Amino acid sequence: MASSSSSMEGGVENDYTQDGTVDLKGNPVRRSKRGGWKACSFVVVYEVFERMAYYGISTNLVIYLTKKLHQGTVKSSNNVTNWVGTIWMTPILGAYIADAHLGRYWTFVAASAIYLSGMSLLTLAVSLPSLRPPHCTDPDPNNCPKASTLQLGIFFGALYTLAVGTGGTKPNISTIGADQFDDFEPREKAHKLSFFNWWMFSIFFGTLFANTVLVYIQDNVGWSIGYGLPTAGLLVSIVIFLAGTPFYRHRVPGGSPFTRMARVIVAAGRKWKVDVPGDPKQLYELDLAEYAKGGKFRIDSTPTLSYYDRFLNKAAVQTGSDDGPWMLCPVTQVEETKQMLRMIPILVATFIPSTMIAQINTLFVKQGTTLHRQIGSFHIPPASLTGFVTLSMLISVVLYDRFLVPLVRKWTKNPRGITLLQRMGIGIVFHIVIMLVASLTERHRLSEARKHGVVESGGQIPLSIFVLLPQFVLMGTADAFLEVAKIEFFYDQAPESMKSLGTSYSTTSLGIGNFISSFLLSTISDVTKRHGHKGWILNNLNASHLDYYYAFFSVLNFLNLGFFLVVIRFYVYKAEVSDSMHVLAEELKENARLREPSSNE
């Protein structure tokens, strides 16, 4: 009986998570009661509805700005990319608040309320006739009455309120989902490897609905219903997320990541003349018990491979003088800083691909407005082609996860099949091809415009809108490689106490990419109009030269690929905090050995 009781107690003890996760009251949690796919189901369902809300606004925004607020090509496109850029940059603030103060759950809940208020105000702005200028049928927006300052203030005020809300939801929702799996339990670690693939797969169902059904409603039924539905969907998604609260695992806020990183850099700078001891054990570090009682992880000192590694290690050198927090930092804090700084060159290499993604909801959609869009009595909304980005990504993610990964890992013995950086590199190559295809397609579109004499009038070209399909489909395939890998890479490589900040790296990439798009569009539009030239980007796309613009992007992507190949040569993956990845790799090798005799027979 005694041994049975001991076994039972051991089983209960082993049921507790080992990664420091707790419930909302700070108590340790059991795997059998919280977390796993059961908890993730609430998170994923939330994201389906939330993506429906976001893309229900962003996908067709350039059309609303053009047709309802009477803005030109460059101004409407830049307003979209500036807003989307802000959407993707605010997660840095949300990640800071989550990691330093409120924790991921409460930051998310507070931000959701802001998000919902912005969506509600936006729905009101498109519903009341007094909040938009009079209707105008002139194809040239310059000849139409402009929106008043009040009308623009309410509309863009609602958009940017929404942006603040997403700043708190975006970096935390995917991190909350990933936190439901224990890195120290091999089976749960294996589930986490697939989580990001299925996370993207699931949320893009919401995106697909927005890109097809909502876009059609906005173009053919009305903007009030077209914006009201995603607002209602967002409300439903928040309720669903809150319903899953009893099943979530939570991480305790670890303090401001920016302050901890700043202390390391300042301490190292103040001791720049101090020599680093050859034995890492002589560097300052807290007792293991200090980390254990706070549910945190201790990280051993990594080899001093580069100058910046050796420089940052100076922060942990004990000099015997005033060793305050801005003069002496433990090794773990130094290593966390190294990990976050080490990812910055990879982050920079993702800016240009993010700039390409910004073209989907702006110039790609504007191209569609010039083409034949009728099938019988059905009119295809130009923005609905973005649905093919979603479909292509869904199919590509499934094929990658279910067929490519099992096939490749037979040779690589890597549980992921290929490394995350290799997967990102394939996505960058796709972006070169996408812009080449887009440039050739645009050249064909312009030749058809000349053939049918609609260059000066800007009239519709008798060419099917589906001629644009290849660039949309290829963009979805590129996302399946680059965007999924990017989210997983920045989450996986961030220190355990800075996961929200790490996740915000991927959103920062998209934000800066959109701002770069605004800068390039304005600059190239201005520069190419000088010296009496017409310019590459005009309100009349039939008289523009988007083919040159896309060819320029292809060259830019090629140069970026070279930069990416250089920076990954010097990147060192962080050490795992548990041996679960090693266990998974050994299982793969063992399975391969077990199959060898049967194959030889």
Side-chain angles (χ1 to χ4, degrees), residues 262-272 314-315 325-329:
R263 283 173 174 170
V264 170
I265 295 170
V266 170
R270 293 172 71 179
K271 293 186 285 189
W272 67 279
K314 294 176 185 289
W326 293 91
M327 190 67 181
L328 180 65
C329 303

Side-chain angles (χ1 to χ4, degrees), residues 521-538 545 548-549:
L521 186 64
S522 298
T523 302
I524 291 176
S525 174
D526 178 62
V527 169
T528 55
K529 286 179 183 176
R530 296 176 183 174
H531 309 298
H533 296 290
K534 273 191 171 183
W536 288 5
I537 303 114
L538 309 171
H545 266 298
Y548 295 167
Y549 191 57

Side-chain angles (χ1 to χ4, degrees), residues 200 354 357 393 478-488 510:
M200 297 295 288
S354 295
I357 293 172
M393 183 174 184
D479 283 354
F481 283 93
L482 179 56
E483 293 307 302
V484 176
K486 186 170 70 176
I487 293 173
E488 185 176 354
L510 291 168

Side-chain angles (χ1 to χ4, degrees), residues 57-361:
I57 304 302
S58 65
T59 300
N60 221 15
L61 183 57
V62 72
I63 300 297
Y64 185 87
L65 294 176
T66 303
K67 290 188 174 181
K68 299 299 181 180
L69 298 186
H70 310 148
Q71 297 184 349
T73 299
V74 173
K75 188 173 184 179
S76 61
S77 296
N78 282 350
N79 275 330
V80 172
T81 50
N82 287 337
W83 174 69
V84 173
T86 305
I87 284 274
W88 293 116
M89 290 294 289
T90 51
I92 298 177
L93 177 61
Y96 164 76
I97 294 172
D99 283 341
H101 301 290
L102 299 181
R104 291 160 194 166
Y105 177 85
W106 290 115
T107 301
F108 174 86
V109 171
S112 294
I114 299 172
Y115 192 169
L116 184 61
S117 65
M119 287 289 295
S120 301
L121 181 59
L122 191 63
T123 302
L124 187 67
V126 302
S127 300
L128 298 180
S130 59
L131 295 180
R132 60 177 183 269
H135 180 67
C136 178
T137 57
D138 194 308
D140 187 352
N142 290 327
N143 300 328
C144 294
K146 301 300 179 186
S148 68
T149 302
L150 176 64
Q151 291 168 341
L152 291 175
I154 292 175
F155 184 81
F156 285 103
L159 280 179
Y160 282 91
T161 299
L162 186 161
V164 172
T166 58
T169 62
K170 199 61 196 166
N172 292 303
I173 187 63
S174 60
T175 314
I176 289 171
D179 285 346
Q180 305 312 308
F181 302 101
D182 187 350
D183 278 335
F184 289 86
E185 207 285 315
R187 289 187 181 278
E188 290 202 9
K189 180 72 173 183
H191 290 157
K192 183 185 280 192
L193 296 183
S194 290
F195 166 73
F196 286 100
N197 284 337
W198 291 104
W199 165 260
M200 297 295 288
F201 180 84
S202 298
I203 66 175
F204 273 82
F205 274 116
T207 307
L208 183 62
F209 181 85
N211 292 344
T212 52
V213 177
L214 289 182
V215 164
Y216 178 81
I217 291 173
Q218 290 165 1
D219 279 12
N220 296 280
V221 179
W223 292 93
S224 300
I225 298 176
Y227 276 29
L229 284 176
T231 301
L234 181 64
L235 176 60
V236 170
S237 71
I238 294 171
V239 171
I240 290 172
F241 175 83
L242 293 175
T245 299
F247 304 105
Y248 299 143
R249 301 173 186 173
H250 305 277
R251 289 195 183 276
V252 178
S256 168
F258 297 111
T259 302
R260 295 205 303 278
M261 292 168 63
R263 283 173 174 170
V264 170
I265 295 170
V266 170
R270 293 172 71 179
K271 293 186 285 189
W272 67 279
K273 290 184 178 180
V274 175
D275 292 328
V276 178
D279 185 1
K281 293 180 180 178
Q282 296 180 25
L283 297 174
Y284 173 66
E285 180 56 293
L286 300 176
D287 292 334
L288 189 59
E290 288 290 321
Y291 293 103
K293 72 180 182 182
K296 300 176 183 178
F297 301 93
R298 191 171 77 174
I299 307 173
D300 293 332
S301 180
T302 55
T304 53
L305 300 175
S306 64
Y307 171 78
Y308 102 92
D309 278 330
R310 293 192 296 272
F311 171 75
L312 293 178
N313 278 349
K314 294 176 185 289
V317 176
Q318 302 180 73
T319 59
S321 58
D322 179 20
D323 289 338
W326 293 91
M327 190 67 181
L328 180 65
C329 303
V331 168
T332 294
Q333 190 174 329
V334 172
E335 292 302 316
E336 288 174 340
T337 304
K338 287 182 186 178
Q339 288 171 12
M340 295 306 296
L341 296 179
R342 195 177 289 139
M343 292 190 292
I344 290 178
I346 307 295
L347 172 64
V348 172
T350 64
F351 291 165
I352 296 303
S354 295
T355 304
M356 303 306 107
I357 293 172
Q359 310 314 307
I360 298 173
N361 292 334

Side-chain angles (χ1 to χ4, degrees), residues 556-586:
L556 204 57
N557 277 295
F558 181 78
L559 295 175
N560 185 66
L561 175 63
F563 173 72
F564 177 77
L565 293 175
V566 170
V567 298
I568 64 172
R569 288 189 61 188
F570 300 99
Y571 186 80
V572 179
Y573 284 91
K574 77 163 189 176
E576 291 284 335
V577 296
S578 74
D579 64 350
S580 55
M581 283 293 287
H582 175 72
V583 171
L584 289 171
E586 290 300 317

Side-chain angles (χ1 to χ4, degrees), residues 410 413 587-597 599:
K410 289 180 181 178
K413 303 299 183 292
E587 286 181 1
L588 288 171
K589 292 177 183 178
E590 182 64 24
N591 290 336
R593 283 195 292 269
L594 291 174
R595 285 194 296 268
E596 282 176 4
S599 61

